[in-house]
Amino acid sequence: MISCPKCGVSNPEESRFCRACGAPLPGASDGEGGGRRCPMCGAMNPPDSVVCERCQARLVPLIAEESATEAEEAPEAAPPQAAPFSAEISPPAEGEPDWLAELRATMEEAEEPGPEETPPVEEVEVPEWLTGSAPPAAPAETAEGEEEVPEWLQEVALYSAPAEEPSPPGGEGAAAPEPPSEAAPPGREETEVPDWLREVLPTESPPGEEEGPPEWLEAATPSEAPEWPAEGGEETALPRGDEGAVPFTEVPPEAAETAESAASEIPAWLREVEEAAAPPPLLLEEEAREEEGPPAAEESVESMPTWLLEEAAPAEAPAEEAGPEAPGVSKGGHVFTSEEGVPSLEPGEVPDWLKELAPPAEETPAAPPLEMEPEHFEGLVPAEIPDWLQALRPREEGEAAEEPVETEGLLEGLRGTLPPSPLIGAVEKAVAVPSVTTKPASVARAELFQELLTRPVISPRRVEKKPRGPMGLAIQRLVVGLLVLVAILAPMGGVWLPMEEGPGSAVPAVRADVQVAYDTIETRVDRGTPVLVAVEYGPGEAEEVDLVARALLQHVLDRGGRLIFVSTRPEGPALADRLASSLDGADEARTVNLGYQPGGASGVQGLLADLARRPIYPTGGPATEAAAMEGVTSAEDVGLIVVLGGQTEDLLAWIEQTSARYPDLPLVAGISARVEVSAQPYLERAGAGALRGMVVGLPGTAVYYDLRGVEDVHLPYYLQAMAMSQWVVAALMVVGMVVFLVVGGKGR
Amino acid sequence: MERFTKRILPTAIAVGAGVLTLLGYLFPVEPFITVRDEMVRWAVIVAAFAFILGFLNILRVHLGRLAGRGAGRGYSLVLIVTALVSLFVTSAGLAVDSARRMSDWWFGNVLYPLQAAAAGLVAIVLAFSAFRLLRHRRGVEVLFFLAAALIVLLGTIPLPGVLGTALATLRQWWMEVPAMAGMRGFLIGVGLGTLLVGLRVIVGIDRPHSDV
């Protein structure tokens, strides 16, 4: 048994620290071989080991490795590090709070059955993150005190378990390798505390200075502690924002009220526990320290390992989160308010076991807004934030709640949505559509077209040939043709119609027009008078017009005139030669054929203007060489124009061109009966008119011959054939009218 | 360039020729008369050249029909052969004898009888059509047309007696009053239309001589 030189409690032979007060026991060596105990598996390693030989856990922190090396060089100079952890529980002093006394009594009752023993040492100085590495203590030893002791205090109590774990519960004696007592032999203290931890902890804690806080902790304590703990000690939660935080309400209010007076009486170990667990005790500690003297902060900082300084620096952020009144916060200093306040260590700088104990990163509260001293704002002018930037700033929930709620669409139910553009959905002015007036005819055509489109398609059917009636079309044609033929041939068979003979037999009107023509030739044509004859008919009209032409031209020749034949039709020159050959006295001296002049009305104009330039048909010689052309160069040199026409256009062209350019030049026409109606308007009436007179068809020719007093042997036959055929045709028309009016027809 | 040759140039020529010819008639003084007569000569030459184009065109059409193996190829073949032979006979100045040329003989013995016979058939066709007119058409105008035809036909026949005189008098009235009135109206319409078309061509509104 080894008696603790400090408290006198008996400890097993192998103990390194006192199981009551935690003080190093004399004769305790640094482990069995003076090595290092693995914080993970508890195995002993040689003193110079860095990594556990059993579990490969790192025994010395990386940062503290150099310091540990230095410490190994002077191991004797380094006192045991148990000072902060083995604060002796002093007997209850006067004014001690009830909760503390109760706590002490509970500890003593649970851990030390012997009456002579001091209350069990609560090695609560180690913060929670550090105590987590220790094996849990036996349930039997802490079962009773767990409900009354705060959680942080329970964890601190469990720190002593490594020394107690091997020992059977309740056992005590020298034979036992590990007595149930929590105290360890002083000689083992150095072996249980790693070097790196030894560097972290105060370098030396003499027994006589146990009641004062270690220097390194004094340097870490805030120089200006907040006043809130002293003002009331009311129920206040630890301002860490961490659910795992130990509520300060577990501290009795009486303790806060009497903290200032009892600060000097609180043992060092309890003071350190309070510093590590809750700010109020630190405040008390600070006040008590102020009474003792100013802390040597700089020295303490210098004595701290570098890694701990780096770890302590970020602790300002969570400490400042509570504002300037955050307990345990020292302006510009380091903070060790609680285990939660310790920032996470950098990988590689701490052993794995310590890394696991570190609080999760997400639990670290966000940095509070930076608060600066008023003097820092001197000379600064608040910036004016433009509206557009104000609109972009994050909105508070309260502001968002003021925004209208979207009532429809995909964003239904959301607040603060952007309003739709005013242009979207705005009804524009309708474009004026010009009114279109639709004609009824167009509508009718459209309806017909629509009807045709909607009409069902009918496959074409073979049109059955209707049977002909009793009087088929061919029979009708045959009958009509035969009747006309019989009428034409009837005069040849001696069948004559009764016809008035003599000049009086002609129609009075026909007789008048023929009379004018006859008189014109009689008056205008003398011997050698050139007469321009326009042959403007074709072979189809030749049989009819030739009769008329012969009557007129023979009269001219009989009068001694000269005939100059021209034509605007290609077949005209040939007909002119044929006509001339049928006339008596039509020799080359009195007749000349100037051929065909193309161009229609322009050709007539050219003929009238340039008769002398025309070639002689068919030789092509110059017209001036012809005897009939003697003294004739243009229409002005002729005495009469006789137009023999069978087509309306040709007759009108000659009438119009002659009357326009040569108004005094008389024009007589011998035309077919089909052109009579077209020539009627140009006949001279009452001394006005371009056409002086005309002879129309067989009736006119008959009248003309009658006027001249000559007789044509063929003319009566022609007249009988014409009259007979006209009667037949007239009869067919009447019969057809009656038949189809009675029988009926297709109609319209 | 195409616009100039197909539209501007023909229009300019037509307008210029029309204006110059019109000036020669409106102001029959020199040099308008000379220019007018020259323009008329050019028109005759152009019309003669149109006959050549027409001849070539009818050859092309019927040659195409002959190559296409369509209906009526035989008629086309006869037409082409006849046209070429007529051209050769006329151009060569072949003669039947010393008094008659081949062309005149051809005209007097082929063309003249054929056209005369066709004209004679017209009388038969007109008679048959008049007979069946009410078979196809009915109405007041048809009856009016048939009555007018009967009057003209019967009035032209120099019949003796009162009937002949009455029909002749009725026919004369019909020809001098209703028929002439209608014909005058028709001629006035034609004259106005010709004047309008001439002015439109001269001004350039109508361009029948232009492709575009």
Side-chain angles (χ1 to χ4, degrees):
Chain A
M1 297 297 289
I2 301 175
S3 299
C4 178
K6 186 176 181 180
C7 61
V9 175
S10 297
N11 296 281
E13 290 294 335
E14 298 176 359
S15 300
R16 292 177 298 173
F17 298 93
C18 178
R19 62 185 177 91
C21 65
L25 300 176
S29 59
D30 190 4
E32 296 177 358
R36 295 177 176 175
R37 181 182 296 274
C38 176
M40 299 301 295
C41 63
M44 295 304 298
N45 295 276
D48 55 347
S49 296
V50 179
V51 180
C52 177
E53 297 177 355
R54 182 178 179 184
C55 64
Q56 298 298 321
R58 191 172 183 83
L59 303 176
V60 179
L62 292 175
I63 299 176
E65 191 172 2
E66 295 181 0
S67 300
T69 304
E70 294 175 356
E72 290 176 354
E73 293 177 355
E76 300 300 330
Q81 301 297 322
F85 306 98
S86 59
E88 183 181 2
I89 299 176
S90 60
E94 294 181 359
E96 183 179 13
D98 298 338
W99 64 273
L100 192 56
E102 184 179 359
L103 176 62
R104 180 178 294 112
T106 303
M107 297 286 290
E108 291 177 357
E109 182 180 0
E111 297 183 2
E112 186 59 37
E116 66 282 0
E117 295 181 355
T118 57
V121 176
E122 292 291 337
E123 298 179 356
V124 297
E125 294 80 2
V126 179
E128 186 182 40
W129 60 272
L130 194 57
T131 57
S133 60
E141 297 179 354
T142 59
E144 298 179 358
E146 284 182 356
E147 296 181 358
E148 299 179 359
V149 178
E151 183 179 1
W152 60 271
L153 200 54
Q154 294 177 7
E155 294 178 359
V156 170
L158 295 176
Y159 179 74
S160 58
E164 302 171 358
E165 184 177 2
S167 60
E172 185 179 3
E178 289 293 337
S181 174
E182 299 81 358
R188 298 184 58 186
E189 181 179 0
E190 294 181 359
T191 60
E192 294 180 356
V193 178
D195 296 339
W196 62 271
L197 190 58
R198 194 179 304 151
E199 294 291 335
V200 174
L201 297 176
T203 57
E204 186 176 5
S205 178
E209 299 176 1
E210 287 180 359
E211 295 186 3
E215 295 180 358
W216 64 275
L217 193 55
E218 290 181 352
T221 53
S223 59
E224 296 179 3
E227 298 176 359
W228 61 270
E231 289 176 357
E234 298 177 357
E235 182 174 329
T236 306
L238 189 64
R240 292 178 299 181
D242 192 348
E243 295 179 354
V246 179
F248 187 68
T249 53
E250 294 182 3
V251 179
E254 296 82 354
E257 295 175 355
T258 58
E260 185 175 359
S261 59
S264 59
E265 301 176 0
I266 296 174
W269 64 273
L270 187 57
R271 195 179 306 154
E272 292 179 358
V273 168
E274 293 176 355
E275 287 178 2
L282 284 177
L283 177 61
L284 301 176
E285 179 71 19
E286 180 64 21
E287 292 176 353
R289 191 161 52 247
E290 287 178 355
E291 294 177 0
E292 295 175 1
E298 296 181 358
E299 296 178 1
S300 300
V301 171
E302 293 177 358
S303 62
M304 293 178 64
T306 307
W307 67 274
L308 191 57
L309 291 174
E310 294 177 359
E311 295 294 333
E316 296 179 4
E320 293 175 354
E321 181 180 2
E325 299 179 357
V329 176
S330 174
K331 291 182 180 180
H334 302 280
V335 181
F336 279 96
T337 56
S338 66
E339 59 276 16
E340 285 78 4
V342 177
S344 61
L345 299 177
E346 292 292 331
E349 297 179 355
V350 295
D352 296 337
W353 62 270
L354 194 56
K355 198 185 304 177
E356 295 176 0
L357 296 175
E362 58 273 13
E363 295 179 1
T364 303
L370 181 62
E371 295 184 2
M372 301 178 66
E373 296 295 337
E375 57 270 12
H376 294 166
F377 297 99
E378 292 181 357
L380 297 179
V381 179
E384 296 182 358
I385 302 175
D387 297 338
W388 63 270
L389 190 58
Q390 286 283 1
L392 295 176
R393 69 181 177 80
R395 298 191 178 190
E396 299 293 340
E397 294 184 357
E399 298 181 18
E402 298 175 357
E403 298 290 342
V405 179
E406 193 69 18
T407 58
E408 58 183 2
L410 298 175
L411 304 178
E412 182 179 1
L414 299 180
R415 288 181 181 276
T417 58
L418 292 176
S421 174
L423 295 180
I424 299 177
V427 179
E428 297 182 356
K429 186 178 180 181
V431 179
V433 179
S435 60
V436 179
T437 58
T438 305
K439 297 180 179 179
S442 300
V443 175
R445 284 194 293 268
E447 292 177 354
L448 177 60
F449 186 66
Q450 181 67 23
E451 180 184 357
L452 292 176
L453 292 177
T454 57
R455 183 178 297 177
V457 179
I458 302 175
S459 60
R461 295 182 301 177
R462 178 181 295 274
V463 178
E464 298 180 357
K465 196 172 184 178
K466 296 181 179 178
R468 293 178 178 177
M471 289 278 294
L473 189 62
I475 297 176
Q476 295 179 27
R477 286 176 180 173
L478 181 60
V479 171
V480 171
L482 288 175
L483 290 175
V484 173
L485 182 61
V486 170
I488 293 174
L489 297 178
M492 298 176 66
V495 181
W496 288 77
L497 291 175
M499 187 176 298
E500 188 175 345
E501 297 181 357
S505 63
V507 177
V510 174
R511 183 181 177 86
D513 297 335
V514 173
Q515 185 67 47
V516 174
Y518 176 80
D519 296 342
T520 302
I521 292 176
E522 286 290 330
T523 58
R524 299 288 298 197
V525 176
D526 293 329
R527 180 173 296 272
T529 301
V531 176
L532 185 63
V533 180
V535 182
E536 302 294 344
Y537 60 93
E541 304 96 20
E543 293 296 329
E544 184 185 6
V545 179
D546 278 347
L547 292 176
V548 179
R550 276 196 291 270
L552 290 172
L553 296 181
Q554 192 62 51
H555 188 198
V556 171
L557 289 177
D558 293 343
R559 293 284 301 174
R562 296 177 294 175
L563 299 177
I564 304 173
F565 293 95
V566 294
S567 176
T568 60
R569 295 171 63 101
E571 60 271 32
L575 291 174
D577 279 351
R578 186 185 180 89
L579 180 61
S581 62
S582 63
L583 297 174
D584 297 332
D587 52 9
E588 295 181 354
R590 303 178 62 183
T591 60
V592 61
N593 189 352
L594 298 183
Y596 155 70
Q597 174 78 347
S602 299
V604 174
Q605 190 68 247
L607 285 174
L608 295 175
D610 296 322
L611 286 175
R613 289 187 175 184
R614 295 294 307 170
I616 299 174
Y617 179 84
T619 59
T624 53
E625 296 180 357
M629 287 293 295
E630 184 180 358
V632 177
T633 57
S634 66
E636 295 177 351
D637 301 327
V638 299
L640 179 67
I641 296 178
V642 178
V643 179
L644 305 176
Q647 301 290 334
T648 303
E649 296 80 8
D650 300 332
L651 175 64
L652 299 182
W654 276 99
I655 294 174
E656 293 171 352
Q657 296 297 325
T658 301
S659 61
R661 191 166 183 179
Y662 309 100
D664 297 332
L665 183 63
L667 190 147
V668 175
I671 56 178
S672 170
R674 59 185 295 188
V675 190
E676 179 185 2
V677 66
S678 300
Q680 285 284 349
Y682 294 97
L683 279 175
E684 187 180 46
R685 296 285 188 269
L691 186 61
R692 185 69 56 89
M694 64 178 184
V695 178
V696 181
L698 290 180
T701 303
V703 173
Y704 197 90
Y705 278 119
D706 189 37
L707 292 175
R708 285 196 60 195
V710 297
E711 187 174 333
D712 191 292
V713 296
H714 303 290
L715 187 59
Y717 174 78
Y718 294 154
L719 286 176
Q720 285 290 331
M722 183 196 69
M724 190 70 74
S725 61
Q726 287 181 343
W727 272 109
V728 171
V729 171
L732 290 175
M733 291 175 61
V734 172
V735 172
M737 292 173 60
V738 173
V739 170
F740 291 109
L741 282 176
V742 175
V743 176
K746 293 182 178 178
R748 180 171 291 181
Chain B
M1 188 63 185
E2 183 179 2
R3 175 185 173 85
F4 176 78
T5 57
K6 289 188 175 181
R7 183 170 183 174
I8 297 177
L9 184 61
T11 303
I13 292 175
V15 172
V19 170
L20 291 177
T21 305
L22 191 61
L23 287 176
Y25 282 104
L26 294 176
F27 307 100
V29 295
E30 294 295 339
F32 293 147
I33 295 177
T34 303
V35 173
R36 178 197 63 188
D37 293 343
E38 194 63 28
M39 288 295 174
V40 171
R41 294 189 190 101
W42 287 6
V44 172
I45 296 173
V46 171
F49 189 75
F51 269 99
I52 299 175
L53 292 180
F55 181 76
L56 296 178
N57 184 60
I58 198 171
L59 286 181
R60 184 181 64 86
V61 170
H62 286 273
L63 283 174
R65 182 183 293 180
L66 195 63
R69 299 179 180 274
R73 291 187 300 137
Y75 297 106
S76 297
L77 179 61
V78 172
L79 187 145
I80 293 171
V81 171
T82 305
L84 294 178
V85 170
S86 299
L87 180 64
F88 172 75
V89 169
T90 307
S91 302
L94 301 179
V96 177
D97 50 31
S98 59
R100 292 186 298 177
R101 295 175 300 163
M102 180 69 75
S103 58
D104 293 338
W105 181 87
W106 193 304
F107 176 79
N109 294 274
V110 177
L111 187 61
Y112 188 93
L114 290 177
Q115 290 197 11
L121 293 177
V122 172
I124 305 300
V125 173
L126 289 176
F128 182 72
S129 299
F131 172 73
R132 289 178 56 85
L133 183 60
L134 291 181
R135 174 70 174 80
H136 297 283
R137 299 275 183 154
R138 288 187 179 184
V140 178
E141 64 274 18
V142 174
L143 294 175
F144 199 75
F145 174 80
L146 290 175
L150 284 174
I151 292 173
V152 172
L153 279 176
L154 298 177
T156 305
I157 301 173
L159 297 176
V162 180
L163 181 58
T165 303
L167 289 176
T169 304
L170 183 60
R171 179 193 178 273
Q172 184 178 359
W173 176 85
W174 186 269
M175 292 296 291
E176 289 183 354
V177 178
M180 188 181 292
M183 191 62 201
R184 285 183 183 273
F186 172 75
L187 292 176
I188 291 174
V190 170
L192 292 176
T194 304
L195 177 63
L196 179 61
V197 171
L199 289 176
R200 290 173 65 89
V201 171
I202 291 175
V203 173
I205 298 175
D206 287 345
R207 293 181 293 274
H209 39 71
S210 175
D211 291 342
V212 289

